Amino acid sequence: MSTKAKRWLYYATVACVLAGLVLLALPSVQRAVARAQQEYKPLSADAEDDGDDPSNAAGADSGDEAADSEQELGAYKTIAQSDRLELLFREGDSAIAVKDKRSGHLWESAVEGKENDSQGNELWTASSRSIFHLTFTDPRLPTLETQETNSVLERPKMTTKAIDNGIAVQYELERLGIAFEMRFRLNGDALEVEVPGDSVRESDSSWLMSIAPLPFFGAATDHDQGYSVYPDGAGALASFKPVHPEYSKGYSASVYGPDTINLNSNAREQNALLPIFGQKVGDNAFVGMITKGEYDARILFSPSGYLINLNRVSSELVYRRDYEAVKKNGNLALKPEKDLLREDHTIRYEFLSGEEADYGHMAAAYRNYLESEEGIKPRIKAGDPVPFGLDLLTGIKEHRILLDRFIPTTTYDEAKKIMTDLRKRGVGTMSANLLGWTSRGYLAYPSGNNPSSKLGGESGLKALAEYAKSSGIQLFLQDDYVDAWKGYDGFSTRTDVVVGANKLAVSDWYSETFFLSAGKQNKHFQTKILNPLRKLPIAGINFDGIGYVDYYDYNPDYPATREVTADHWTEMMAKAEAQFGSAASIGGNGYTLKHSSRLFGIPMEDSGYFFTDETIPLYQMVVHGLIPYSGDPQNLFYDPQQQYLKLVEYGYMPYYQFTMNHADELKDTYYNDLFSSDYASWVGQAVTQYKEMNEKLRTVWSQAMITHRKLAADLYETGYEDGTRVVVNYAAKDVRLDDGHIVPARDFIVVPKGG
């Protein structure tokens, strides 16, 4: 047989085999398609009637017209009213709507009659009318596999009952054996959505992972004017736009940082520092805030182009987390945690209209909530000067093969000389912070809590603290009660560290770095640390770590949820505040605000997602005038002038990190990022910038930041309570404003009200 004939015989044989496989698989494919069509078809009018009870939802066939479907669902009925709002409810599918009486705008939970092209995706066309999205898993599977569904696909049995100023709906997803209650009520002039923890039930074969209430509340089309706001770092904004790509994912961030601890990577996306989100549609807006259960919740933003052409922002409530379980063969498998997180969740929506419909007033609404309901008190008084933020790195160890070397970069006496010199140069108010003041130096934890003899010992630190107090200088001692490194005594890697759901200590690949159990540290802090520090007249302790990480702990002696972990830390802050008069924290997570007299490390940027259009000072607009805050030290930025302008735009205090000696010796330490820190090289610029900020911005230092907007490329305006405007020009040429004011290149101006 010729080579050509053999080749054709081979091709024919392969074709026959493939045809046979297709024929064998065809019935399975047909069944899968039929199942998908059955599950994904939206609710319609030919649903089988469940009886006369209007609280029961009905199924549907997909062939009926939308008008018939709407007729089956019924009309909205008013169930509660306040001075500003009217709450409406539709019994057919439990959809809600909120009417703002001031503007007449109707905020709906179910998207109907809008241009919501889903690119042929029936699942998401149906889901846009959902009252909730739900994620579940089958715990019997060898590894975690989650599935998503929603109220339209599941057609739950619904039972309603009237409550004060609202209605409660019990949902029973009979196919899954999952049930829960959602309550919709008006609380004053706000809508509250509650999911009581004790209402949740699940089956042996379907475990609940998460619920997203009202995922399409206030969703906007590509042709609406406005934007979505989410708390990514400083804050992020995504505008609605008619032309956009298709996105592969949206924004999903756990409030106060990731649910799971990863000590093997230095890469970290920005935290959702506050449990808030918002949407502006035309001349109306809402701000959502998770006021209960925020420790186990996520903020979600989905831009138009992600699965469906609608812009939507909402929250997701977490009821079960996943973890890496160790199998018998030693391999790891992702599994769902056994216990349900049975806690109450509440999401509050406040509504804005007209000139108040912007992200500045969203921030103001949350600020008002923090002050009026969470007891956050202003730490800044009217007329207070802008303080100069001064970090002093005092000591750090260089790790060597035989013996480590302690490097005294700034002794206690040298720290006093720096403070004295700054005062002579006209720096009137300082907020100082000592890093590495213990015998182990900076970044060596647990620190041991004993002042270093090579820096001047306890007597030297006491003399420095007394000088600072007599000079009106706020002096913090920075310490870390979260991190622990193997090789340092003062903790046990078996009993004192965070334990995961797999019953193993949480650590990196090399078992070198650990997180300390918050419960154990709280007890140790109160019994072993606070009292010895009582003799030092310091302003307080600066708590590192607690403001940017939060975690579950399965340590059998000190088990803790994320909320309990945060409670331990805030109790430590409260004890320090009671003893010294103040406390500070690094990172900015919202639970630290109540006991912080100073905030460190507040981000100036977001994570840089492709769908984000602008970074906005959402966090800063919440806390400005309440608590002084600083970001990254100006001497560590590649362009100090640009950093300086960002401080002005976002309302930061001027902030530098100094050493008395040159930073060359730090190159072989764990802190080699401090490449330019010697005081003599930076003091001139630092004092000049401080004096300018204090002179021009002192009048607004204690005021709330009300407005912020982009006037043009590289031109931004920040507005304060009394009408003062600060305009920052990042461009390399002067800019003339519409009112005639000229903003010099790479500079800023302050325009008083009416000016």
Side-chain angles (χ1 to χ4, degrees):
M1 183 180 293
S2 67
T3 302
K4 185 175 182 180
K6 290 180 179 179
R7 184 180 299 115
W8 281 109
L9 179 60
Y10 170 77
Y11 290 155
T13 302
V14 172
C16 290
V17 171
L18 291 175
L21 291 173
V22 170
L23 289 173
L24 288 172
L26 187 57
S28 298
V29 173
Q30 289 174 330
R31 286 194 298 270
V33 171
R35 173 177 168 79
Q37 290 174 338
Q38 176 66 24
E39 289 188 353
Y40 291 175
K41 64 186 178 183
L43 195 65
S44 64
D46 280 348
E48 179 180 343
D49 193 356
D50 283 348
D52 295 331
D53 185 357
S55 66
N56 292 334
D61 294 328
S62 59
D64 296 314
E65 298 294 333
D68 294 333
S69 177
E70 292 178 12
Q71 183 177 0
E72 171 71 16
L73 295 174
Y76 282 118
K77 295 181 180 178
T78 300
I79 59 172
Q81 295 194 59
S82 68
D83 291 341
R84 295 183 179 180
L85 303 178
E86 183 177 351
L87 176 59
L88 302 100
F89 180 75
R90 187 168 63 195
E91 291 184 334
D93 60 352
S94 76
I96 68 160
V98 177
K99 182 177 181 180
D100 190 330
K101 296 179 181 179
R102 295 165 296 181
S103 64
H105 187 80
L106 192 67
W107 295 98
E108 297 182 81
S109 66
V111 179
E112 298 175 272
K114 289 192 174 184
E115 299 175 29
N116 57 352
D117 177 24
S118 57
Q119 305 298 327
N121 189 327
E122 282 190 85
L123 169 63
W124 281 93
T125 300
S127 77
S128 66
R129 290 175 51 192
S130 300
I131 308 308
F132 61 81
H133 284 179
L134 183 144
T135 304
F136 65 97
T137 189
D138 185 342
R140 300 168 298 183
L141 297 175
T143 59
L144 176 68
E145 294 182 17
T146 59
Q147 300 181 59
E148 296 182 17
T149 188
N150 59 60
S151 62
V152 172
L153 297 179
E154 292 300 326
R155 307 165 189 166
K157 179 181 178 182
M158 296 182 294
T159 305
T160 63
K161 65 178 180 181
I163 58 175
D164 289 344
N165 298 316
I167 195 166
V169 185
Q170 178 73 20
Y171 298 96
E172 293 187 30
L173 286 63
E174 296 174 298
R175 180 177 74 90
L176 303 178
I178 292 176
F180 60 92
E181 182 179 272
M182 288 175 62
R183 299 172 182 171
F184 310 101
R185 73 168 82 230
L186 294 183
N187 182 357
D189 290 318
L191 167 69
E192 288 191 338
V193 181
E194 304 171 14
V195 183
D198 59 8
S199 73
V200 179
R201 301 198 311 271
E202 56 185 6
S203 65
D204 292 338
S205 59
S206 296
W207 282 6
L208 180 62
M209 299 296 290
S210 66
I211 298 173
L214 307 186
F216 284 84
F217 185 78
T221 71
D222 293 340
H223 303 293
D224 287 319
Q225 299 294 315
Y227 50 74
S228 301
V229 170
Y230 37 103
D232 182 19
L237 178 151
S239 300
F240 311 150
K241 34 194 168 302
V243 179
H244 55 74
E246 291 186 21
Y247 298 100
S248 60
K249 68 174 185 177
Y251 173 77
S252 175
S254 296
V255 175
Y256 305 143
D259 276 334
T260 54
I261 304 170
N262 183 2
L263 294 175
N264 298 311
S265 174
N266 291 324
R268 183 171 63 89
E269 293 180 342
Q270 296 286 354
N271 279 4
L273 300 174
L274 301 173
I276 59 175
F277 54 92
Q279 185 109 306
K280 172 181 168 64
V281 183
D283 292 329
N284 293 274
F286 73 77
V287 56
M289 47 186 94
I290 308 174
T291 58
K292 185 179 293 185
E294 70 272 23
Y295 293 91
D296 292 296
R298 299 187 185 103
I299 305 297
L300 307 179
F301 163 65
S302 298
S304 180
Y306 175 54
L307 301 174
I308 190 171
N309 281 344
L310 286 170
N311 301 279
R312 61 269 188 207
V313 61
S314 62
S315 61
E316 183 178 37
L317 315 178
V318 178
Y319 289 92
R320 184 173 272 106
R321 302 159 64 247
D322 56 61
Y323 71 98
E324 288 186 330
V326 181
K327 300 170 70 175
K328 292 182 179 179
N329 60 7
N331 294 329
L332 298 176
L334 207 60
K335 301 284 286 184
E337 293 183 343
K338 181 180 179 180
D339 296 328
L340 184 79
L341 302 175
R342 193 177 294 280
E343 59 184 29
D344 297 337
H345 290 276
T346 302
I347 306 102
R348 178 183 298 187
Y349 294 83
E350 296 193 12
F351 302 91
L352 309 163
S353 62
E355 293 183 355
E356 293 184 351
D358 57 31
Y359 58 81
H361 287 84
M362 294 178 193
Y366 190 63
R367 173 194 178 104
N368 180 66
Y369 164 77
L370 292 177
E371 289 189 273
S372 61
E373 299 190 37
E374 292 298 310
I376 307 294
K377 293 181 171 53
R379 306 289 182 163
I380 306 173
K381 298 178 182 178
D384 279 356
V386 179
F388 180 87
L390 173 65
D391 264 12
L392 292 173
L393 177 63
T394 56
I396 191 170
K397 281 188 177 181
E398 176 188 352
H399 295 275
R400 300 191 293 188
I401 296 176
L402 295 178
L403 294 174
D404 294 343
R405 180 172 72 103
F406 186 91
I407 303 173
T409 55
T410 310
T411 66
Y412 302 143
D413 187 58
E414 289 171 336
K416 177 182 176 181
K417 290 179 180 177
I418 289 175
M419 294 177 188
T420 302
D421 186 61
L422 286 171
R423 292 184 68 205
K424 289 180 179 178
R425 293 173 181 263
V427 177
T429 304
M430 276 179 266
S431 179
N433 178 47
L434 297 189
L435 298 82
W437 56 276
T438 69
S439 58
R440 293 176 179 172
Y442 188 46
L443 298 179
Y445 306 118
S447 69
N449 202 54
N450 298 313
S452 171
S453 60
K454 296 185 178 181
L455 298 174
E458 184 177 310
S459 60
L461 181 56
K462 185 177 181 181
L464 172 62
E466 289 174 343
Y467 168 78
K469 184 176 182 179
S470 65
S471 302
I473 299 172
Q474 188 181 47
L475 178 63
F476 292 103
L477 301 182
Q478 181 172 318
D479 209 345
D480 187 332
Y481 307 105
V482 175
D483 297 289
W485 292 5
K486 188 175 181 179
Y488 292 103
D489 57 17
F491 80 105
S492 167
T493 58
R494 292 178 299 167
T495 61
D496 296 342
V497 299
V498 173
V499 175
N502 56 12
K503 309 304 180 185
L504 299 177
V506 175
S507 186
D508 62 339
W509 285 318
Y510 307 103
S511 297
E512 295 286 342
T513 307
F514 300 86
F515 279 159
L516 295 169
S517 169
K520 184 69 175 287
Q521 279 299 291
N522 186 10
K523 181 178 180 181
H524 177 72
F525 178 79
Q526 295 191 45
T527 58
K528 303 294 184 181
I529 295 177
L530 267 180
N531 192 57
L533 291 178
R534 190 180 300 274
K535 63 190 72 173
L536 298 174
I538 58 175
I541 296 174
N542 182 18
F543 291 83
D544 195 0
I546 69 173
Y548 51 79
V549 65
D550 192 12
Y551 42 70
Y552 269 81
D553 188 359
Y554 295 86
N555 186 311
D557 295 329
Y558 296 92
T561 63
R562 281 162 59 92
E563 182 173 6
V564 171
T565 294
D567 285 346
H568 282 303
W569 289 333
T570 53
E571 184 177 347
M572 292 163 64
M573 294 185 69
K575 295 293 184 181
E577 183 181 26
Q579 177 164 306
F580 301 113
S582 58
S585 60
I586 301 175
N589 277 349
Y591 50 79
T592 64
L593 297 180
K594 188 171 185 178
H595 298 291
S596 290
S597 296
R598 164 89 187 275
L599 297 169
F600 289 77
I602 304 305
M604 296 182 175
E605 303 293 338
D606 55 58
S607 298
Y609 291 109
F610 183 64
F611 44 74
T612 296
D613 293 307
E614 295 180 41
T615 305
I616 59 172
L618 183 69
Y619 186 94
Q620 290 80 359
M621 298 181 89
V622 171
V623 301
H624 193 278
L626 283 177
I627 308 170
Y629 53 89
S630 57
D632 296 327
Q634 289 167 256
N635 52 309
L636 301 189
F637 202 71
Y638 71 93
D639 186 339
Q641 181 61 19
Q642 182 174 337
Q643 175 83 340
Y644 174 56
L645 295 179
K646 181 65 75 171
L647 301 185
V648 172
E649 180 193 350
Y650 278 25
Y652 289 82
M653 66 167 66
Y655 173 54
Y656 282 83
Q657 193 166 102
F658 291 145
T659 57
M660 180 61 85
N661 303 318
H662 285 272
D664 296 350
E665 289 188 297
L666 301 177
K667 64 181 183 299
D668 294 322
T669 71
Y670 287 121
Y671 198 48
N672 52 19
D673 290 341
L674 192 62
F675 52 85
S676 181
S677 62
D678 58 291
Y679 174 73
S681 299
W682 286 98
V683 61
Q685 173 187 298
V687 171
T688 298
Q689 290 183 346
Y690 163 76
K691 288 182 176 180
E692 182 180 34
M693 289 185 72
N694 189 47
E695 177 186 348
K696 295 182 177 181
L697 302 175
R698 178 170 182 167
T699 58
V700 300
W701 179 244
S702 61
Q703 296 185 39
M705 191 186 293
I706 298 298
T707 62
H708 177 269
R709 58 180 180 145
K710 182 178 182 179
L711 301 178
D714 298 322
L715 189 68
Y716 294 85
E717 178 188 272
T718 304
Y720 291 89
E721 285 179 280
D722 68 352
T724 299
R725 296 179 294 131
V726 178
V727 186
V728 177
N729 178 17
Y730 292 94
K733 60 180 181 180
D734 297 353
V735 174
R736 180 183 293 274
L737 305 179
D738 292 340
D739 58 11
H741 288 94
I742 295 177
V743 190
R746 290 173 62 81
D747 205 344
F748 72 96
I749 63 170
V750 178
V751 183
K753 182 178 181 179

